[in-house]
């Protein structure tokens, strides 16, 4: 069975790895991208193989909505222009103007490919505003110097193959002068031969006024002349005057800030047509247009407060000439995209969801397939591993994939905080790009995933859609320090201290454009691939080739010796390793004495009413100087001894690797089964732990009842369950929050669940969210970090943990955060709690790798200091033991 999720994304025909140069429609649309992760309001469909997606009907064109990219030449007035663009966007669209107007610094990217990849990564322009225009801001410097222009020059000189080559551009001041240079002889770095741009006579003109003159008498006629696009002609007779722009041009004054000016050259311009001159400063061209390209320039500052009619320097009869300039440019852009010559094609960008028929070897394990495809050796890869299935309704699927730098869509997103400087870094197609995204990693993910509307169509041969909600998306982790972003969202105040600097990314995600999904319940394999329509079936050739390779590997059973932990939830938790463990010197970051003191302090704070419960943590660290212990070998050993429903292996190059055997679900978001505009959300906090005794059949029942009835465990669990209910209450509909699972209305308060080595006391909390009010990222903002890793009340307890217990400047990193996925199109997501985990990262000070095993526990008023310390060490020992067995394997192999 093959399903195509067809994303109808507009694009212009140009030759980059992102798009195929196929024109099949004359719809007036524009987008730089055809990749589904950047869609926001795109209609999507699921269809059956060999049923072609109909192209949109030309008789029913979409509304012409514009996006504006502002190139900031580091001027002090750029954001005044930005605000004007926002105002116009907001007045012409029902959508948020902030999603269709973007500022990018002119020197933030060294190539148009770099800019293109960055815009791709942040979903700009959004498909709801597909028609792009560009404003080049004022700025210091010389328009003839490439070094002063950065992206401004690259955009003005974009080759015909570039998607930017036909985008309408308005240059202001420096941008205006640069258009004159490009439209003249085009030699940007020859400062002697270009006589059209020269120093002002009499020096700089800064904050001064000028009258204006053109071949037309009225403002309206002048604006029409200024923004004649290539191929257009002035109407004859002139259009009837409107109420706002019928005044005489002689009544208008404009504001200047410039030391260089465009003047008539000694030889005629090649492609530049002057449209406005100064009546105050002779030979100064104040507006121009390109004869063959949609390029327009104004020397004056339309955004200046002095140009507004209610202030001293505005027009005498009330028209805001600066605003009218931007309005007329916008109207011209709309005309530009209405012209059939400039209409983009619509191509089918598809998410292919195919069930693999594994006839010859139906029992291949996820480990075998992961290794057979080489993902274990990939620089960046993921394996979200439900290697033990306690609850097939929630931990039913495993997800395998990698970042393939040769794929046009695959990329990595990291929220870094090295040296205390936060930024979002996007890596794709073999190059590293540093963005200037404002906001948090959650803002980024929201832009990239959250705004689809999905329609499903199926023929008579298919009775049900795929059994999972994943349709491609972002796989990775949110580190505990993302709490600094969510705290401000929940409280309106920033955290007392910023997140500590760290070489380990605060958050890191792989865009999963090609993913293998294993259904543990039905023993079925699926592939989920995002590609660009190319062959007759609508599946691009590269994606089809990948699917064929995966199908062949599955049907050959892989080539690994993977342990089939998937098949036996109660497999021997102490399975023999290939070699006895090698004792390693793991050192706690806080000594036993300090940890005992911390427990005692928290108990005192509880008795004083400062908190009810606090989860304090420690870390056991080992310095692998030779880097001989690989993260993947640790994971192989960990899943043998501690199979878990929310485990995972996640690696980003040499920067960080997570080796996780978490039993705990932090957040599950799923489409509502009956209401399209609703989401169902769920969390399964764990508080209360008891080690399983053998034989399990003899002791499990008795020990489960003992744990369920233990007063301390129940109180710990109840406090966190009420905390989760409170967090859900921020976003859920009234009366929808309850202690039941999404799939089962039976009460799920303080239920004992069995894991490979432990019995755990678990409560399931669920609720319903209105998607029109809160997105999936809105839910994350309201609930992160997991309450089981903070305590209650959450905000006050986090402050206590940082300021009085664990110490200011000591971050937890990925530990205590969440590992999982955010899906495209339907708001779905699954995130675990990063516990029972080793984090492997470079040891910046001493070389080699640092292997850090986080561990901790919840402290309540009845906590015993020694018992809490022993429990903390016991939790860490499970992971430490896996590292030691991996170290022993290195010795055997040597």
């Amino acid at each position: 069975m093959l399903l195509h999720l067809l994303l109808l994304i507009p694009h212009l025909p140009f030759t980059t790895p992102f798009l195929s140069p196929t024109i099949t429609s004359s719809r007036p649309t524009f987008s730089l991208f055809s990749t589904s992760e950047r869609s926001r309001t795109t209609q999507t469909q699921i269809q059956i193989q060999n049923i072609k997606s109909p192209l949109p009907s030309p008789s029913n064109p979409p509304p012409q909505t514009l996006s504006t990219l502002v190139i900031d030449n580091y001027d002090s007035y750029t954001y005044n222009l930005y605000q004007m663009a926002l105002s116009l966007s907001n007045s012409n669209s029902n959508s948020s103007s902030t999603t269709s107007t973007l500022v990018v610094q002119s020197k933030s990217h060294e190539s148009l490919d770099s800019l293109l990849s960055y815009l791709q990564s942040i979903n700009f322009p959004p498909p709801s505003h597909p028609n792009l225009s560009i404003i080049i801001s004022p700025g210091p410097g010389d328009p003839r110097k490439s070094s002063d222009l950065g992206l401004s020059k690259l955009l003005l000189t974009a080759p015909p193959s570039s998607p930017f080559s036909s985008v309408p551009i308005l240059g202001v001041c420096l941008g205006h002068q640069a258009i004159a240079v490009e439209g003249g002889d085009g030699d940007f770095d020859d400062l002697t031969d270009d006589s059209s741009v020269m120093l002002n006579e009499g020096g700089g003109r800064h904050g001064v006024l000028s009258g204006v003159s053109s071949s037309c008498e009225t403002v309206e006629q002048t604006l029409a002349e200024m923004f004649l696009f290539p191929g257009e002609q002035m109407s004859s007779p002139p259009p009837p005057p409107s109420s706002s722009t019928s005044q005489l041009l002689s009544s208008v004054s404009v504001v200047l800030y410039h030391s260089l000016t465009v003047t008539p050259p000694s030889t005629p311009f090649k492609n530049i047509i002057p449209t406005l001159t100064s009546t105050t400063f002779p030979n100064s061209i104040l507006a121009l247009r390109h004869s063959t390209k949609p390029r327009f320039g104004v020397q004056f500052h339309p955004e200046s407060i002095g140009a507004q009619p209610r202030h001293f320097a505005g027009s005498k009869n009330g028209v805001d000439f600066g605003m009218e300039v931007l309005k007329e440019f916008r109207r011209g852009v709309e005309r530009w995209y209405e012209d059939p010559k400039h209409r983009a094609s619509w191509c089918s960008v598809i998410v292919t969801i195919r069930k693999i028929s594994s006839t010859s070897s139906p029992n291949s394990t996820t480990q075998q397939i992961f290794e057979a495809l080489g993902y274990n050796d990939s620089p960046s890869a993921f394996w979200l591993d439900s290697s033990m299935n306690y609850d097939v309704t929630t931990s039913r699927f495993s997800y395998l994939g990698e970042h393939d730098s040769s794929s046009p869509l695959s990329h990595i997103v990291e929220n870094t905080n090295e040296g205390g400087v936060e930024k979002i870094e996007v890596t794709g197609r073999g190059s590293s790009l540093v963005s200037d995204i404002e906001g948090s990693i959650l803002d980024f993910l929201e832009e990239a995933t959250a705004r689809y509307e999905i329609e499903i169509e199926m023929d008579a041969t298919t009775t049900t859609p795929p059994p999972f909600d994943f349709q491609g998306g972002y796989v990775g982790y949110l580190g505990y320090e993302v709490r600094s972003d969510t705290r401000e969202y929940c409280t309106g105040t920033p955290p007392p201290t910023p997140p500590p600097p760290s070489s380990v990314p605060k958050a890191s995600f792989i865009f999963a454009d090609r993913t293998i999904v294993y259904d543990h319940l039905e023993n079925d394999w699926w592939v989920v691939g995002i590609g660009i329509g190319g062959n007759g079936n609508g599946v691009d050739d590269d994606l089809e080739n990948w699917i064929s390779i995966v199908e062949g590997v599955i049907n050959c059973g892989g080539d690994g010796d993977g342990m089939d932990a998937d098949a036996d939830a109660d497999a021997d938790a102490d399975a023999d390793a290939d070699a006895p463990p090698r004792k390693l010197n793991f050192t706690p970051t806080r000594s036993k004495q300090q940890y005992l003191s911390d427990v005692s302090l928290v108990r005192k704070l509880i008795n004083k009413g400062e908190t009810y419960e606090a989860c304090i943590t420690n870390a056991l660290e080992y310095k692998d100087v030779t880097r001989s212990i690989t993260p993947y070998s640790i994971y192989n050993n960990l899943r043998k001894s501690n199979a878990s429903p929310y485990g995972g292996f996640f690696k980003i190059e040499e920067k960080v690797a997570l080796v996780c055997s978490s039993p705990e679900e932090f957040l599950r978001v799923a489409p509502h089964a009956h209401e399209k505009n609703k989401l169902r959300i769920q969390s399964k906090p764990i508080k209360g732990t008891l080690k399983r005794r053998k034989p399990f059949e003899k002791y499990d029942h008795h020990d489960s009842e003992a744990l369920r009835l233990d007063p301390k465990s129940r109180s710990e669990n109840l406090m966190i369950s009420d905390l989760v209910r409170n967090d859900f209450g921020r976003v859920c509909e009234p009366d929808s929050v309850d202690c039941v699972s999404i799939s089962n209305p039976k009460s799920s308060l303080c239920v004992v669940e069995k894991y490979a080595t432990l019995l755990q006391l678990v409560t399931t909390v669920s609720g319903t969210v209105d998607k029109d009010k809160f997105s999936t990222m809105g839910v994350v903002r309201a609930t992160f970090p997991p309450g089981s890793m903070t305590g209650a009340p959450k905000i006050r307890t986090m402050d206590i943990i940082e300021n009085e217990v664990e110490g200011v400047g000591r971050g937890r990193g990925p530990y205590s955060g969440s590992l999982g996925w955010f899906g495209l199109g339907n708001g779905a997501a699954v995130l675990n709690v990063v516990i029972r985990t080793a984090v492997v990262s470079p040891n910046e000070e001493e070389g080699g790798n640092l292997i850090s095993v986080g561990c901790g526990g919840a402290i309540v008023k009845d906590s015993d200091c020694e018992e809490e310390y022993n429990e903390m060490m016991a939790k860490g020992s499970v992971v430490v033991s896996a590292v030691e067995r991996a170290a022993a394997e290195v010795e055997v192999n040597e």
Side-chain angles (χ1 to χ4, degrees):
M1 178 176 66
L2 170 65
L3 298 178
H4 294 323
L5 179 63
L6 297 175
L7 310 182
L8 298 180
I9 310 289
H11 73 83
L12 286 175
F14 66 100
T15 55
T16 78
F18 286 100
L19 302 175
S20 56
T22 306
I23 300 178
T24 55
S25 171
S26 60
R27 292 192 60 175
T29 58
F30 175 85
S31 177
L32 297 181
F33 320 110
S34 64
T35 52
S36 63
E37 76 272 24
R38 296 172 298 282
S39 297
R40 291 174 59 83
T41 57
T42 307
Q43 286 293 105
T44 61
Q45 298 174 319
I46 291 184
Q47 296 190 331
I48 306 305
Q49 187 179 18
N50 297 325
I51 300 180
K52 294 184 178 180
S53 172
L55 290 172
S57 169
S59 63
N60 185 27
Q64 293 306 296
T65 51
L66 305 183
S67 286
T68 303
L69 175 64
V70 180
I71 303 300
D72 177 20
N73 287 300
Y74 304 97
D75 193 70
S76 293
Y77 308 128
T78 299
Y79 280 87
N80 295 333
L81 273 171
Y82 171 69
Q83 288 293 327
M84 291 181 75
L86 284 179
S87 175
L88 287 174
S89 180
N90 198 44
S91 65
N92 285 273
S93 172
N94 293 325
S95 300
S96 169
S97 57
T98 57
T99 66
S100 59
T101 310
L102 176 71
V103 177
V104 172
Q105 280 66 43
S106 66
K107 295 182 181 178
S108 61
H109 302 276
E110 295 182 353
S111 69
L112 292 184
D113 275 351
S114 171
L115 174 64
L116 188 67
S117 295
Y118 164 61
L119 296 179
Q120 165 211 348
S121 71
I122 61 169
N123 189 37
F124 190 89
S128 58
H129 296 72
N131 298 328
L132 185 68
S133 63
I134 295 172
I135 296 177
I136 297 177
S137 85
D142 192 316
R144 296 166 293 183
K145 293 182 180 179
S146 298
S147 59
D148 286 342
L149 292 176
L151 283 174
S152 302
K153 180 206 169 184
L154 296 177
L155 289 165
L156 291 173
T157 59
S161 60
S162 168
F164 296 106
S165 63
S166 60
V167 175
I169 296 178
L170 173 64
V172 178
C173 198
L174 181 66
H176 159 87
Q177 297 164 7
I179 291 173
V181 175
E182 190 277 331
D185 61 20
D187 192 346
F188 274 91
D189 291 303
D190 187 341
L191 306 186
T192 59
D193 295 336
D194 193 330
S195 59
S196 65
V197 177
M198 58 189 300
L199 292 172
N200 296 331
E201 292 184 10
R205 302 163 188 162
H206 301 123
V208 300
L209 306 180
S210 173
V212 294
S213 174
S214 80
S215 61
C216 304
E217 293 186 1
T218 68
V219 170
E220 184 168 43
Q221 294 168 350
T222 299
L223 291 170
E225 164 67 18
M226 288 170 62
F227 291 101
L228 277 179
F229 275 61
E232 293 183 333
Q233 295 180 348
M234 286 287 287
S235 59
S236 181
S242 66
S243 58
S244 63
T245 58
S246 59
Q247 70 179 73
L248 294 177
L249 185 66
S250 59
S251 65
V252 170
S253 294
V254 295
V255 179
L256 304 177
Y257 292 95
H258 64 104
S259 297
L260 291 158
T261 191
V262 179
T263 62
S266 56
T267 57
F269 283 113
K270 290 182 179 179
N271 296 302
I272 293 298
I273 302 172
T275 56
L276 201 66
T277 58
S278 171
T279 59
T280 308
F281 304 101
N283 293 323
S284 183
I285 295 173
L286 297 187
L288 54 82
R289 57 183 168 87
H290 200 288
S291 60
T292 63
K293 299 178 182 179
R295 308 280 191 264
F296 307 87
V298 293
Q299 179 63 72
F300 57 91
H301 282 236
E303 81 286 354
S304 174
I305 193 70
Q308 297 183 13
R310 65 183 180 277
H311 297 284
F312 71 93
S315 62
K316 297 176 182 177
N317 294 329
V319 65
D320 184 339
F321 188 68
M323 180 61 81
E324 291 299 326
V325 164
L326 264 69
K327 286 182 179 178
E328 191 63 35
F329 173 64
R330 185 183 180 93
R331 283 191 284 266
V333 174
E334 290 174 344
R335 295 194 307 272
W336 178 253
Y337 286 115
E338 287 172 359
D339 192 315
K341 293 192 300 293
H342 311 127
R343 294 174 184 173
S345 65
W346 286 68
C347 74
S348 294
V349 181
I350 62 172
V351 176
T352 301
I353 304 177
R354 181 182 297 180
K355 184 177 178 181
I356 300 297
S357 175
S358 54
T359 54
S360 61
S361 183
N363 294 316
S364 301
T365 68
T366 51
Q367 181 177 346
Q368 287 174 323
I369 302 306
F370 192 79
E371 294 175 355
L373 290 168
Y375 292 169
N376 55 313
D377 293 323
S378 175
S380 302
F382 62 87
W383 176 8
L384 302 182
D385 181 16
S386 291
S387 57
M388 173 189 173
N389 306 299
Y390 176 81
D391 182 354
V392 294
T393 63
T394 56
S395 57
R396 175 176 169 179
F397 304 102
S398 290
Y399 306 86
L400 297 76
E402 67 171 341
H403 163 60
D404 182 357
S405 59
S406 66
S407 168
L409 307 183
S410 183
H411 55 277
I412 294 170
V413 182
E414 295 171 288
N415 189 174
T416 60
N417 187 27
E418 291 192 62
V421 178
E422 272 205 52
K423 59 190 176 185
I424 293 181
E425 191 170 283
V426 181
T427 307
R429 298 192 299 155
S431 62
S432 181
L433 315 171
V434 178
S435 78
D436 291 310
I437 301 173
E438 294 183 0
S440 72
I441 185 67
L442 300 180
D443 298 328
F444 172 90
L445 292 169
E446 185 164 50
E447 289 291 328
T449 62
R451 302 298 177 87
Y452 293 82
E453 294 180 5
I454 297 175
E455 295 180 4
I456 298 177
E457 294 183 5
M458 294 179 291
D459 66 9
T461 63
T462 304
T463 57
T464 60
F468 47 84
D469 297 321
F470 182 76
Q471 297 170 164
Y474 287 88
V475 176
Y477 72 85
L478 299 171
Y480 179 74
E481 273 61 57
V482 173
R483 69 189 176 90
S484 62
D485 306 314
T486 59
R487 176 199 170 103
E488 190 162 359
Y489 176 83
C490 292
T491 67
T493 60
T497 56
S502 175
S503 60
V504 176
K506 179 176 167 182
S508 189
F509 287 86
I510 295 173
F511 179 69
D513 62 334
R514 297 175 182 182
T515 307
I516 303 164
V517 182
Y518 179 64
D519 182 346
H520 294 265
L521 179 63
E522 299 295 338
N523 197 30
D524 287 333
W525 293 92
W526 297 72
V527 290
V528 179
I530 304 172
I532 301 162
N535 64 26
N537 295 327
V539 183
D540 72 66
D541 292 334
D542 287 342
L543 180 57
E544 188 63 61
N545 290 338
W546 173 77
I547 293 173
S548 297
I549 291 171
V550 172
E551 189 167 19
V553 168
I554 289 173
N555 281 307
C556 288
D559 61 4
D561 297 321
M563 184 273 297
D564 192 4
D566 317 310
D568 186 3
D570 286 327
D572 188 350
D574 295 320
D576 292 335
D578 294 334
R582 184 184 115 199
K583 187 66 176 177
L584 301 177
N585 184 27
F586 274 86
T587 304
T589 55
R590 302 205 319 286
S591 66
K592 178 178 181 180
Q593 181 179 359
Q594 182 61 55
Y595 196 86
L596 295 176
S597 176
D598 292 339
V599 175
S600 179
L601 172 61
V602 170
R603 289 183 59 193
K604 291 177 182 177
L605 292 173
I606 291 172
N607 289 328
K608 288 181 179 180
E610 297 288 335
T611 181
Y612 313 142
E613 174 181 1
C615 180
I616 65 174
T617 69
N618 206 351
L620 309 177
E621 294 183 345
Y622 173 72
K623 298 173 183 177
D624 180 18
V625 179
T626 62
R627 294 187 176 177
S628 59
I629 308 172
T630 68
Y632 186 69
S633 65
I634 299 172
Y635 187 62
N636 268 343
N637 283 280
L638 184 60
R639 74 189 300 266
K640 288 178 183 178
S641 62
N642 196 48
S644 64
Y646 300 102
F649 172 78
F650 180 81
K651 181 186 178 186
I652 296 292
E653 298 172 341
E654 299 301 321
K655 298 178 182 178
V656 65
L658 273 63
V659 176
C660 178
S661 61
S662 174
E664 185 169 356
E665 176 186 273
F666 161 56
L667 183 66
R668 176 176 300 270
V669 184
H672 196 288
H674 307 294
E675 299 183 63
K676 185 177 180 180
N677 68 326
K678 302 290 177 67
L679 296 170
R680 291 285 287 157
I681 64 174
Q682 174 178 293
S683 184
K684 298 182 66 177
I686 292 177
K687 282 299 171 191
T689 302
L690 191 62
K691 184 174 177 61
R692 293 180 75 182
R693 297 185 292 169
K694 295 181 180 179
F696 296 152
E697 60 273 14
K698 178 179 180 180
Y699 293 107
D700 270 356
H701 177 73
H702 174 272
D703 290 350
S704 296
E705 280 298 291
L707 177 61
R708 186 177 67 85
L709 298 175
D710 175 55
K712 176 179 176 292
S713 297
R714 288 181 67 86
S715 65
E716 286 183 23
N717 192 287
L718 185 61
M719 280 187 277
I720 299 305
S721 299
D722 280 338
L723 180 152
V724 173
R725 291 177 59 244
N726 174 80
D727 287 350
F728 277 19
R730 298 177 188 273
V731 294
C732 284
E733 295 191 310
D735 299 324
S736 71
V737 179
D738 200 357
C739 288
V740 298
S741 75
I742 289 176
S743 57
N744 189 343
K746 183 179 178 181
S747 175
S748 297
L749 177 64
C750 293
V751 175
V752 176
E753 295 186 357
K754 302 174 186 177
Y755 297 93
T757 61
L758 300 171
L759 299 173
Q760 305 263 213
L761 198 62
V762 183
T763 291
T764 303
V765 182
S766 63
T768 301
V769 175
D770 186 338
K771 287 199 295 187
D772 295 333
K773 297 178 180 178
F774 296 98
S775 68
T776 297
M777 295 308 150
V779 175
V780 175
R781 292 185 186 100
T783 57
F784 189 89
S788 59
M789 300 308 296
T790 63
K794 180 185 278 188
I795 302 298
R796 178 74 180 101
T797 304
M798 284 195 294
D799 291 345
I800 289 172
I801 290 170
E802 178 177 11
N803 298 323
E804 302 184 47
V805 180
E806 296 181 6
V808 175
R810 178 188 175 272
R812 293 182 178 179
Y815 173 67
S816 297
S818 294
L819 171 69
W821 58 264
F822 293 101
L824 301 181
N826 55 8
V830 176
L831 300 169
N832 75 2
V833 179
V834 177
I835 53 177
R836 318 290 196 272
T837 298
V839 177
V840 184
S841 62
N843 187 340
E844 299 287 337
E845 297 180 356
E846 302 177 33
N849 281 336
L850 181 68
I851 302 174
S852 177
V853 177
C855 44
I859 311 303
V860 295
K861 73 178 184 67
D862 295 328
S863 291
D864 178 86
C865 295
E866 284 286 344
E867 288 180 1
E868 292 296 341
Y869 178 80
N870 292 336
E871 180 181 329
M872 179 271 295
M873 294 297 291
K875 291 175 179 176
S877 67
V878 174
V879 184
V880 167
S881 178
V883 178
E884 292 177 336
R885 288 196 301 275
E889 291 174 356
V890 173
E891 286 189 341
V892 170
N893 292 332
E894 290 176 348

